[in-house]
Amino acid sequence: MRILSRATLREFWEQANYADSEQPLMAWYDEAKHANWQTPQDIKALYRNASFVGNNRVVFNIHGNKYRLITAINYKLSMVYIRFIGTHADYDKVDAKTV
């Protein structure tokens, strides 16, 4: 999969409060980059706790569910768009279907 954009993840983990997210986000990035997701079931096979919230949005639990990563996935183009990364409190303030 092609992921847009790694810089969004890096900007998040470079913040002092979220430095502990670097390794889990890098692990997710590496797995997603090498994946060939054709359907939501392909994602569920690897990430049992992933949530599908509509509008091709997938929510991943990062670092033991300390952080939430929202992506938009275009299966036909093999593209993953990073839409949001934040804490649970931050996640509760956004609409995962439209972010």
Side-chain angles (χ1 to χ4, degrees):
M1 303 296 288
R2 185 164 179 224
I3 303 168
L4 297 178
S5 137
R6 183 175 182 260
T8 303
L9 300 178
R10 186 179 63 249
E11 289 169 7
F12 182 77
W13 77 58
E14 286 178 346
Q15 297 177 50
N17 294 341
Y18 309 125
D20 64 336
S21 69
E22 180 177 2
Q23 290 304 322
L25 286 170
M26 287 296 296
W28 176 88
Y29 180 87
D30 189 56
E31 289 173 350
K33 183 174 76 169
H34 291 99
N36 184 23
W37 297 327
Q38 299 294 314
T39 67
Q41 291 78 15
D42 295 337
I43 296 170
K44 223 28 165 167
L46 185 58
Y47 295 98
R48 297 180 72 192
N49 293 323
S51 300
F52 300 86
V53 295
N55 200 23
N56 289 324
R57 299 297 200 270
V58 182
V59 180
F60 295 93
N61 299 321
I62 303 294
H63 195 31
N65 207 19
K66 185 174 182 179
Y67 303 107
R68 290 282 179 99
L69 172 65
I70 302 174
T71 63
I73 299 182
N74 185 320
Y75 296 98
K76 289 181 182 179
L77 297 177
S78 296
M79 299 288 291
V80 177
Y81 303 91
I82 305 297
R83 305 302 300 158
F84 169 88
I85 178 68
T87 65
H88 261 280
D90 296 333
Y91 173 81
D92 290 341
K93 297 175 186 174
V94 301
D95 180 357
K97 293 179 188 176
T98 60
V99 68

